[in-house]
């Protein structure tokens, strides 16, 4: 089986089609891959590992490439356990391998696995340091907070291959091929936005700093830790990460997110959607915050430039699932969106007030139209308020 990506660089990663939710939070309808790579030179380097559950298959993948030879270096670009989980085990099989990382890498490694405690088993590198494997000349570039503080990338200057850690990664297991030019990539674009918005979304500024560090560097292959190896679509992938990290919407459109206990708030959401549609908005997506996993809502909020948020008053506060969504949006530092607000109550309204307060203190989105507040059910007057809000959103978007 041919596992070579380019001159003596091999794919040895695994697919996880078992896990339902990544990080215990984010659904995986297409699975996820944990990518790892071998640079098979005079010295052999293993780049990142995989989740521990997949160790037998992983070890077999490595042996298919190097047979009985020993690994000289294990390069750890990122310490999150989906990539570092096999470290302690791999060290048992390759005890002579030196682990390459930066100071923060080893602080985490000792805490997680008690590996790297002996100075002779590690090679600590700083930003810009190099390592020769024979023909392949590696350089390490620190890109903190993409996605953890210790994160770095490894650039093979010989083949212009970037081992990128989580950067440029996406959800979705690999179905046979591992290089983009050998597969249909259709599912990966949405899964890239969903991955970015769910996992890396908070770190727009560090991603921008990383992109600047890499600008001007010739890159022919991007070997991320999740998803396809990028070769044919490098330009598109870079542009996608640039846009996402700037929080620029992909296109104009309206994401209507609502909670509803007995259907009355949902009916208000329908009226807003209908009014926005009649006023010419084509891209409208609606999410019941209790039924759609917030993973998909966040992805749509990164995709479109406007949202309407509405929910019932609950326990003299905000409906819990909407409160949770507000926290998730706020936690990602999303910028530059237009916001419409609506809400409901039976005797004392709090929902609209709470969403407004959240916007004033946290999100700071551009408030569009007048918030619509319904009591018990839609009345002639509140129906008109919802229609006016939908129309105002449309005018603002278009
Ligand atoms: Fe795929 Fe941040 O770990």
């Amino acid at each position: 089986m041919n596992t070579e990506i380019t001159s003596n660089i091999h794919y040895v990663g695994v697919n996880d089609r078992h896990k339902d939710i990544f990080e215990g939070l984010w659904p995986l309808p297409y699975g996820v891959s944990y990518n790892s790579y071998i640079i098979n030179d005079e010295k052999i380097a293993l780049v990142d590992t995989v989740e521990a559950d997949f160790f037998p298959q992983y070890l077999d993948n490595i042996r298919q490439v190097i047979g009985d030879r020993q690994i000289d270096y294990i390069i750890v670009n990122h310490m999150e356990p989906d990539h570092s989980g096999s470290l302690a085990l791999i060290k048992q099989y390759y005890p002579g391998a030196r682990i390459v990382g930066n100071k923060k890498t080893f602080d985490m490694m000792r805490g997680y696995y008690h590996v790297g405690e002996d100075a002779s088993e590690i090679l600590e590198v700083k930003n810009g340091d190099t390592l020769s494997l024979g023909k392949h000349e590696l350089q390490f570039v620190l890109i903190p907070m993409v996605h953890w503080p210790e994160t770095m990338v490894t650039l093979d200057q010989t083949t212009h291959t970037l081992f990128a850690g989580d950067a440029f990664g996406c959800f979705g297991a690999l179905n046979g091929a591992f290089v983009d030019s050998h597969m249909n990539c259709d599912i990966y674009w949405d899964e890239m936005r969903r991955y970015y918005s769910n996992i890396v979304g908070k770190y727009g500024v560090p991603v921008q700093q990383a992109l600047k560090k890499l600008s001007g560097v010739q890159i022919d292959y991007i070997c991320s830790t999740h998803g396809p190896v990028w070769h044919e679509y490098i330009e598109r992938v870079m542009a996608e990460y640039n846009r996402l990290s700037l929080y620029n919407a992909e296109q104009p459109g309206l994401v209507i997110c609502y909670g509803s206990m007995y259907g009355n708030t949902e009916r208000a959401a329908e009226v807003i959607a209908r009014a926005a549609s009649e006023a010419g908005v084509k891209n409208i997506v609606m999410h019941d915050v209790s039924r759609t996993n917030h993973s998909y809502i966040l992805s749509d909020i990164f995709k479109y430039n406007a949202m309407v948020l509405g929910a019932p008053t609950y326990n003299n506060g905000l409906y819990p699932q909407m409160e949770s969504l507000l926290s998730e949006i706020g936690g990602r530092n999303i910028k530059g969106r237009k916001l419409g607000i609506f809400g409901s109550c039976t005797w004392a309204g709090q929902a609209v007030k709470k969403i407004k307060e959240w916007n004033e203190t946290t999100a700071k989105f551009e408030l569009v139209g007048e918030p619509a507040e319904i009591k018990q059910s839609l009345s002639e007057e509140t129906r008109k308020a919802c229609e006016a809000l939908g129309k105002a959103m449309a005018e603002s978007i278009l």
Side-chain angles (χ1 to χ4, degrees):
M1 196 162 60
N2 184 14
T3 56
E4 191 173 43
I5 295 163
T6 185
S7 330
N8 297 317
I9 296 176
H10 293 260
Y11 183 85
V12 290
V14 298
N15 288 307
D16 185 347
R17 303 178 200 277
H18 306 168
K19 189 179 273 122
D20 296 318
I21 43 173
F22 190 77
E23 292 184 343
L25 290 166
W26 316 112
L28 294 171
Y30 304 106
V32 66
S33 70
Y34 309 122
N35 298 342
S36 173
Y37 305 92
I38 287 270
I39 308 169
N40 193 7
D41 203 339
E42 288 161 32
K43 299 280 186 188
I44 294 176
L46 178 68
V47 185
D48 290 309
T49 72
V50 303
E51 236 190 52
D53 290 359
F54 297 86
F55 188 76
Q57 182 190 335
Y58 179 50
L59 184 62
D60 188 51
N61 290 353
I62 292 170
R63 285 176 168 163
Q64 292 286 333
V65 176
I66 63 172
D68 293 333
R69 290 177 68 196
Q70 285 296 302
I71 291 171
D72 297 283
Y73 298 106
I74 302 167
I75 296 167
V76 179
N77 284 325
H78 183 26
M79 268 303 296
E80 196 166 4
D82 50 335
H83 312 297
S84 66
S86 292
L87 261 179
L89 283 166
I90 205 81
K91 272 292 284 177
Q92 286 178 27
Y93 283 83
Y94 299 98
R98 284 181 85 188
I99 305 177
V100 183
N102 58 73
K103 183 176 182 319
K104 287 182 177 155
T105 316
F106 294 117
D107 289 344
M108 293 180 186
M109 197 179 296
R110 290 171 196 128
Y112 268 117
Y113 308 112
H114 304 289
V115 167
E117 286 170 337
D118 183 342
S120 66
E121 64 178 341
I122 68 168
L123 177 62
E124 189 174 305
V125 296
K126 295 188 288 303
N127 186 55
D129 281 359
T130 57
L131 175 68
S132 178
L133 301 178
K135 293 188 182 67
H136 294 259
E137 303 289 334
L138 308 183
Q139 184 174 39
F140 306 99
V141 180
L142 271 57
I143 56 162
M145 301 317 300
V146 187
H147 146 233
W148 279 10
E150 88 304 356
T151 314
M152 63 183 199
V153 295
T154 301
L155 180 67
D156 175 19
Q157 297 171 312
T158 310
T159 61
H160 307 290
T161 299
L162 181 72
F163 299 95
D166 281 345
F168 312 112
C170 61
F171 291 136
L174 300 173
N175 304 319
F178 37 81
V179 179
D180 61 357
S181 47
H182 301 153
M183 66 175 78
N184 181 331
C185 290
D186 288 355
I187 67 152
Y188 296 109
W189 303 113
D190 276 352
E191 285 297 87
M192 175 174 283
R193 186 192 335 98
R194 194 166 68 86
Y195 174 84
Y196 184 92
S197 64
N198 292 183
I199 310 292
V200 196
K202 180 181 175 65
Y203 306 112
V205 171
V207 172
Q208 277 293 307
Q209 287 164 348
L211 289 172
K212 282 192 180 74
K213 276 188 182 176
L214 296 171
S215 72
V217 176
Q218 183 183 340
I219 298 172
D220 293 339
Y221 292 88
I222 295 177
C223 295
S224 172
T225 43
H226 300 290
V229 170
W230 301 111
H231 176 55
E232 185 178 340
Y233 293 113
I234 285 177
E235 210 173 311
R236 179 171 174 180
V237 167
M238 290 276 198
E240 191 77 4
Y241 259 68
N242 184 46
R243 187 181 55 69
L244 287 165
S245 56
L246 290 169
Y247 299 97
N248 290 340
E250 203 173 301
Q251 49 190 302
L254 185 56
V255 189
I256 301 176
C257 309
Y258 65 92
S260 190
M261 288 188 279
Y262 298 102
N264 291 297
T265 323
E266 184 173 55
R267 267 173 234 151
E270 296 281 8
V271 172
I272 294 165
R274 187 80 204 114
S277 167
E278 282 180 353
V281 182
K282 287 188 177 169
N283 293 320
I284 301 174
V285 288
M286 298 186 67
H287 292 296
D288 177 337
V289 293
S290 299
R291 290 184 171 79
T292 306
N293 188 293
H294 293 190
S295 169
Y296 297 93
I297 302 178
L298 290 170
S299 184
D300 277 338
I301 287 173
F302 269 76
K303 181 173 183 178
Y304 295 115
N305 66 341
M307 73 191 85
V308 175
L309 305 176
T313 299
Y314 197 90
N315 281 342
N316 201 31
L318 186 58
Y319 190 65
Q321 290 288 2
M322 180 55 75
E323 206 163 41
S324 160
L325 180 65
L326 297 190
S327 159
E328 287 156 354
I329 296 170
R332 280 160 181 76
N333 300 331
I334 300 170
K335 294 172 184 49
R337 296 298 186 270
K338 298 166 189 295
L339 172 67
I341 300 173
F342 70 110
S344 64
C345 69
T346 300
W347 67 94
Q350 281 291 328
V352 166
K353 180 169 166 263
K354 294 286 180 191
I355 299 173
K356 272 173 89 170
E357 281 172 5
W358 165 81
N359 188 48
E360 282 157 15
T361 56
T362 304
K364 300 184 168 65
F365 295 145
E366 178 196 341
L367 191 62
V368 175
E370 281 298 315
E373 186 158 33
I374 65 169
K375 197 166 182 184
Q376 290 118 23
S377 69
L378 277 174
S379 64
E380 191 69 23
E381 191 186 338
T382 52
R383 180 182 294 276
K384 281 195 178 122
C386 289
E387 285 171 353
L389 179 56
K391 191 161 177 271
M393 292 306 302
E395 281 164 3
S396 173
I397 292 168
L398 302 172

